[in-house]
Amino acid sequence: MSDDFDPFADAPRSRPSRREDEKEPSQQSFDPWAALPTRASRPRHGLELPTDAPGLGGMWQDDDASLALDRGVGQGSERDASPSPGGRILVVCTGNVCRSPYIHLRLASELESLGIEVTSAGTGALAGWPVDPGSVALLDAAGIDSTAFRARQLTVDMVEDADLVLTATRAHRRSVVQEAPLGLRKTFALVDFADLVAELQPDDIEHVRGRSLVARVAAAAADRHHLVHARTDEDADIVDPFRRSPDVFAEMKRQTLPALGTVIAALHQSAQA
């Protein structure tokens, strides 16, 4: 990635030319805030696999378990007629068995008192699978039960229904916003989002609109991108521990917990404002 990449840069006011629009953006030049082409219709299939996890992709999308999980079995439906009063957070990784369920269940345990609903999904989900044993061990150590969890494939509807989408890596964020452009200003890599809300003030929340607490915090974070120096991808991305040693799961925890603590504190502080 080039030195001038800025994941918080403003989207340009004018759209690129048709010829430019047809070019596939390279990882080096991709601007997450740039205007993205919309699709003629909203796809009902899963999203594209990000570049950091080749080989999983859509091979699970036609599985019966995937279809059931897309309707919310095990995690709650994204089409619930009674939205959570505090808002909805969606956590995204690749398989939805290691990083995203760990983040999801840690957030859910800390934000339940605020009426915030937390779910997760994967861009190339191992649909119907339980949490990976490596993440189960970490959750058990924190006193969090993960036995009811089942992985599910990410859909555009899930992104559009969420008030905030947190991803394990910037590659996941690119995949989400390219397939679901309406998620552009509410989708962040977890570590980037933590940087944006670390110094969030009550006034920042008062001056933004949103249908829920989570939506207002997400909007306030998006407005602060020009105030925060962007990390490198290496610092912003959470390692994928799938089928790796306990040491890698420990590294995932080490990378994740500070960001989670910051996000949880910001949401609780904003709820009291």
Side-chain angles (χ1 to χ4, degrees), residues 130-245:
V131 180
D132 184 279
S135 291
V136 170
L138 298 178
L139 291 165
D140 284 348
I144 298 173
D145 181 20
S146 60
T147 55
F149 180 94
R150 293 296 180 271
R152 61 179 185 168
Q153 178 64 36
L154 184 65
T155 67
V156 172
D157 282 341
M158 293 178 193
V159 176
E160 295 185 355
D161 288 346
D163 296 307
L164 170 64
V165 182
L166 297 175
T167 65
T169 69
R170 287 176 177 167
H172 292 115
R173 181 182 189 274
R174 286 191 284 270
S175 182
V176 169
V177 301
Q178 285 170 344
E179 291 288 334
L182 290 181
L184 179 64
R185 281 183 57 84
K186 62 181 179 183
T187 305
F188 309 82
L190 170 65
V191 175
D192 285 334
F193 186 72
D195 288 343
L196 290 169
V197 301
E199 298 183 8
L200 201 64
Q201 301 299 317
D203 287 348
D204 298 326
I205 304 299
E206 292 177 1
H207 293 107
V208 294
R209 294 182 179 180
R211 64 181 182 179
S212 68
L213 169 66
V214 171
R216 293 193 297 274
V217 171
D223 288 343
R224 286 177 47 80
H225 63 83
H226 62 288
L227 301 174
V228 176
H229 180 71
R231 297 171 182 251
T232 64
D233 281 357
E234 183 178 1
D235 289 337
D237 291 351
I238 297 170
V239 65
D240 184 359
F242 183 59
R243 292 183 176 175
R244 301 175 72 180
S245 71

Side-chain angles (χ1 to χ4, degrees), residues 1-9 26-33 170 173-174 192 230-233:
M1 179 159 295
S2 63
D3 293 337
D4 59 355
F5 174 79
D6 181 2
F8 306 131
S26 68
Q27 187 170 358
Q28 287 73 26
S29 62
F30 180 81
D31 178 356
W33 294 105
R170 287 176 177 167
R173 181 182 189 274
R174 286 191 284 270
D192 285 334
R231 297 171 182 251
T232 64
D233 281 357

Side-chain angles (χ1 to χ4, degrees), residues 4 14 31 38-39 45 57 76 80 98 102 116 122 134 149 160 166 191 201 215 221 263:
D4 59 355
S14 59
D31 178 356
T38 58
R39 294 177 179 268
H45 50 72
D80 191 337
C98 296
Y102 178 73
I116 295 174
F149 180 94
E160 295 185 355
L166 297 175
V191 175
Q201 301 299 317
V263 171

Side-chain angles (χ1 to χ4, degrees), residues 77-88 115-117 161 163 211-212:
S77 173
E78 70 275 9
R79 287 299 183 184
D80 191 337
S82 302
S84 297
R88 289 172 168 166
I116 295 174
E117 174 188 325
D161 288 346
D163 296 307
R211 64 181 182 179
S212 68

Side-chain angles (χ1 to χ4, degrees), residues 8 23 46 51 57 73 79 85 90 106 142 187 192 233 249 251 261 273:
F8 306 131
K23 294 180 180 179
T51 57
V73 178
R79 287 299 183 184
L90 174 67
R106 292 293 305 241
T187 305
D192 285 334
D233 281 357
F249 279 90
E251 176 65 9

